[in-house]
Amino acid sequence: QVQLQESGPGLVKPSETLSLTCAVSGYSISSGYYWGWVRQHPGKGLEWIGTIFHRGNTYYNPSLKSRVTISVDTSKNQFSLKLSSVTAADTAVYYCARHNMIWGVIGDYWGQGTLVSVSS
Amino acid sequence: DIQMTQSPSTLSASVGDRVTITCRASQSISTWLAWYQQKPGKAPKLLIYKASTLESGVPSRFSGSGSGTEFTLTISSLQPDDFATYYCQHYSSYSWTFGQGTNVESK
């Protein structure tokens, strides 16, 4: 059974960098699939942040591209999100997910999500 | 960019009702459309992909249809567990877009 688990600070100061990691179990990232991040502002809808392939190919939402970096560590079977220069508008629940490109699906498996608040 | 518009934003229904949610794309997207169910405090759950294919384990009362620019998610007989928010999602060229969501609430 594929499982994803987000981890990282729940509180980040304005102007600093948000850093989250998604640990994957039950499937080797190196075996394929694309992996990515989705966020949800409190009480709002879902927003794609970015995507990575195990070879390091990355794709980002144009609205966030200048501040986002997604990386992968196949030795630890995990991938990470960095979002720089955060403001209160980046307060959200952050989900990691496995994409299924054949189906065009952003998430056939999801982490449970982690709330990140931006506040001084 | 392709915009996805769901309607209605909120739907009030009773157990046993037939429920239909619509998702419209700003341009043709063939059948590159998925539907998710999300409950409060939980991650989205995949229901349907490629517009009409039911994900494994999803009850058969859920169905999807459509192609091009107009798509529907239908729940044939609403069950207590189905009160939730539903999102459509489009994929194109390494980019994903969601509809704004439809909250199905108890009448």
Side-chain angles (χ1 to χ4, degrees):
Chain A
Q1 175 74 351
V2 180
Q3 293 185 320
L4 295 85
Q5 176 72 56
E6 305 92 349
S7 62
L11 181 63
V12 181
K13 290 182 168 54
S15 80
E16 295 190 344
T17 296
L18 178 160
S19 296
L20 296 174
T21 296
C22 182
V24 179
S25 59
Y27 187 85
S28 172
I29 288 179
S30 299
S31 297
Y33 285 94
Y34 286 71
W35 308 82
W37 294 92
V38 175
R39 72 179 182 179
Q40 186 168 36
H41 294 105
K44 301 298 184 182
L46 300 162
E47 178 183 31
W48 168 63
I49 299 172
T51 292
I52 192 163
F53 191 51
H54 70 87
R55 292 177 183 153
N57 314 61
T58 53
Y59 310 89
Y60 300 132
N61 186 323
S63 69
L64 297 169
K65 186 175 183 177
S66 63
R67 299 194 291 129
V68 174
T69 302
I70 296 177
S71 58
V72 64
D73 186 338
T74 54
S75 67
K76 294 182 178 179
N77 213 40
Q78 64 186 34
F79 59 102
S80 299
L81 168 70
K82 291 187 185 301
L83 181 65
S84 64
S85 305
V86 297
T87 69
D90 295 309
T91 293
V93 175
Y94 287 76
Y95 295 99
C96 57
R98 188 181 83 167
H99 305 333
N100 187 314
M101 309 300 272
I102 296 174
W103 300 345
V105 161
I106 197 170
D108 58 1
Y109 290 94
W110 296 74
Q112 85 275 16
T114 186
L115 174 63
V116 179
S117 298
V118 178
S119 175
S120 55
Chain B
D1 292 354
I2 296 175
Q3 308 301 317
M4 308 302 296
T5 304
Q6 282 183 240
S7 60
S9 296
T10 303
L11 189 160
S12 297
S14 301
V15 172
D17 285 353
R18 181 180 181 87
V19 168
T20 299
I21 298 168
T22 297
C23 181
R24 290 186 172 88
S26 58
Q27 59 185 275
S28 178
I29 60 170
S30 183
T31 57
W32 290 105
L33 190 93
W35 290 97
Y36 299 82
Q37 176 193 68
Q38 187 181 33
K39 296 182 178 179
K42 300 295 186 181
K45 174 188 175 183
L46 177 64
L47 299 176
I48 287 168
Y49 58 92
K50 293 304 296 289
S52 62
T53 303
L54 200 65
E55 167 72 327
S56 175
V58 174
S60 59
R61 63 181 179 273
F62 290 93
S63 64
S65 66
S67 66
T69 62
E70 187 154 334
F71 302 85
T72 59
L73 172 70
T74 300
I75 309 172
S76 61
S77 178
L78 193 68
Q79 298 302 299
D81 191 48
D82 300 338
F83 293 104
T85 300
Y86 294 84
Y87 293 94
C88 62
Q89 169 250 296
H90 165 57
Y91 165 72
S92 175
S93 301
Y94 302 101
S95 178
W96 285 263
T97 308
F98 291 95
Q100 78 275 24
T102 295
N103 179 34
V104 177
E105 63 177 22
S106 179
K107 184 184 290 183

